[in-house]
Amino acid sequence: MSDYQNILVDEYEGVVEITLNRPDKFNALTHGTAVEIMKVIKSVKRNPANRAVLFTGAGRGFCAGQDLSEVSERNDEFSFRNHLQSSYNPMVQAIRSLEKPVIGAINGAAAGAGLGLALSFDIRYASEKAKFLTAFIGIGLAPDTGVSYWLPRLIGPARAAEMLFTNERLDARQALVVGLVNKVFPHDDFLQESREFAKKLAASPTLGIGITKRALNKSLGVTFDDQLDYEAYLQEITGHSEDYQEGVSAFREKRDPQFKGQ
Ligand code: LHQ
């Protein structure tokens, strides 16, 4: 997985690390970046050796959203709808539906569609230098890239409205308090902490995590009773997995389990 123009891709111990790599533009998004991210996610989906994904950004920013130097060059025929439906929507859909853990190591500002990208991850670790802003209203836009879906679910509708209406910036500590990020670390430590966490997840029962992700995704739009049925259906899958056999054997034999992800 090399030869990308907008991202760097590294692999270690079951983890695929994707670094947004346009640091002079705070890793602002383009169609090309979205296409490259989708290619990597597709490849991760197919490769059983890839058992976790870690996203981060090069330089001072995580991702400043749409590259505004790119859109300003477009003419009146430019369709926002088509752009979103061909770029950022399938990108965050691919991440969300990937049945493997996706972690964000948020190094700096996450804004606009870059916030949407960050919110599509399962878990976010942040540097003390991270900051979070919706940015859309700052240029007269409404939210896109899933921000109006995840933000109220993560921080509540009134807090989401405040961030969206006012373009308020949350620093990493504030983001932790409201539930936008899972953990905050000093900047010098946060990437290593995020990598260790990704490696730990990559050595976990990947099938079980994938099915868990499927259950969590489903829970966002169904009743309690329907979710109970869905859980029972899904447990039929994990209950016949190799990792379940290994987990129970290891428990009985009082040893650490060796999960293969199957
Ligand atoms: C940038 C950007 C950027 C290019 C910083 N583009 N260069 C979807 C579909 C179609 C169209 C429109 O939009 C969308 C969805 C969206 O994502 S809308 C939201 C677009 N994003 C923004 O409005 C965010 C704009 N940026 C900012 O608010 C700030 O730059 C943040 C808060 C990200 C960082 O602030 P600072 O730490 O003060 O850094 P800075 O402002 O000095 O920026 C650093 C450099 O990055 C600077 O370049 P320069 O050459 O002057 O050093 C910026 O021009 C560049 N940059 N965002 N989106």
Side-chain angles (χ1 to χ4, degrees):
M1 288 197 271
S2 56
D3 297 332
Y4 294 110
Q5 294 184 346
N6 304 293
I7 58 175
L8 302 170
V9 183
D10 192 15
E11 282 190 49
Y12 49 87
E13 297 181 46
V15 177
V16 174
E17 184 173 305
I18 301 173
T19 304
L20 306 173
N21 192 33
R22 304 177 74 229
D24 52 325
K25 299 208 167 184
F26 264 42
N27 305 315
L29 287 174
T30 60
H31 178 75
T33 311
V35 168
E36 290 182 1
I37 289 173
M38 285 188 274
K39 269 190 195 161
V40 179
I41 297 296
K42 202 170 175 182
S43 158
V44 168
K45 184 178 176 183
R46 290 185 181 144
N47 188 345
N50 297 157
R51 293 170 62 183
V53 177
L54 180 66
F55 275 88
T56 193
R60 283 202 300 129
F62 171 69
C63 179
Q66 171 65 44
D67 185 336
L68 295 176
S69 53
E70 197 188 55
V71 281
S72 62
E73 286 159 15
R74 294 183 190 263
N75 61 31
D76 290 343
E77 301 298 308
F78 176 69
S79 164
F80 288 80
R81 188 179 190 183
N82 288 347
H83 176 57
L84 289 165
Q85 289 186 334
S86 66
S87 298
Y88 307 152
N89 289 359
M91 173 183 74
V92 291
Q93 282 167 325
I95 292 168
R96 202 62 216 170
S97 62
L98 178 71
E99 293 194 347
K100 299 184 182 184
V102 181
I103 304 119
I106 313 297
N107 53 300
L115 179 64
L117 174 63
L119 298 186
S120 75
F121 308 150
D122 300 302
I123 292 168
R124 283 158 291 283
Y125 278 11
S127 152
E128 273 176 344
K129 293 188 177 176
K131 56 187 166 194
F132 300 84
L133 61 155
T134 57
F136 302 101
I137 209 68
I139 54 170
L141 288 182
D144 61 34
T145 317
V147 170
S148 65
Y149 185 85
W150 290 117
L151 208 54
R153 284 169 169 78
L154 285 164
I155 69 173
R159 208 66 187 83
E162 197 174 23
M163 280 188 78
L164 285 161
F165 293 174
T166 68
N167 201 13
E168 172 192 12
R169 295 179 186 200
L170 298 191
D171 64 26
R173 294 279 159 203
Q174 292 169 311
L176 182 66
V177 170
V178 297
L180 263 189
V181 300
N182 296 70
K183 284 187 180 161
V184 177
F185 297 96
H187 189 72
D188 289 346
D189 303 336
F190 99 101
L191 189 54
Q192 199 46 40
E193 293 280 358
S194 306
R195 285 175 174 154
E196 291 305 323
F197 181 56
K199 284 193 271 186
K200 184 177 154 192
L201 288 179
S204 299
T206 309
L207 178 82
I209 289 180
I211 298 289
T212 302
K213 191 163 169 176
R214 208 188 293 179
L216 290 174
N217 282 339
K218 184 82 167 182
S219 77
L220 296 163
V222 299
T223 64
F224 179 54
D225 289 352
D226 286 346
Q227 187 70 8
L228 284 175
D229 279 343
Y230 196 59
E231 283 181 351
Y233 159 74
L234 292 177
Q235 204 67 296
E236 207 65 67
I237 303 172
T238 45
H240 291 93
S241 68
E242 285 182 35
D243 284 340
Y244 171 66
Q245 292 295 329
E246 168 62 7
V248 174
S249 301
F251 175 76
R252 288 195 180 135
E253 293 160 20
K254 298 189 187 302
R255 60 173 174 81
D256 288 336
Q258 297 293 316
F259 292 120
K260 292 185 185 147
Q262 292 157 11

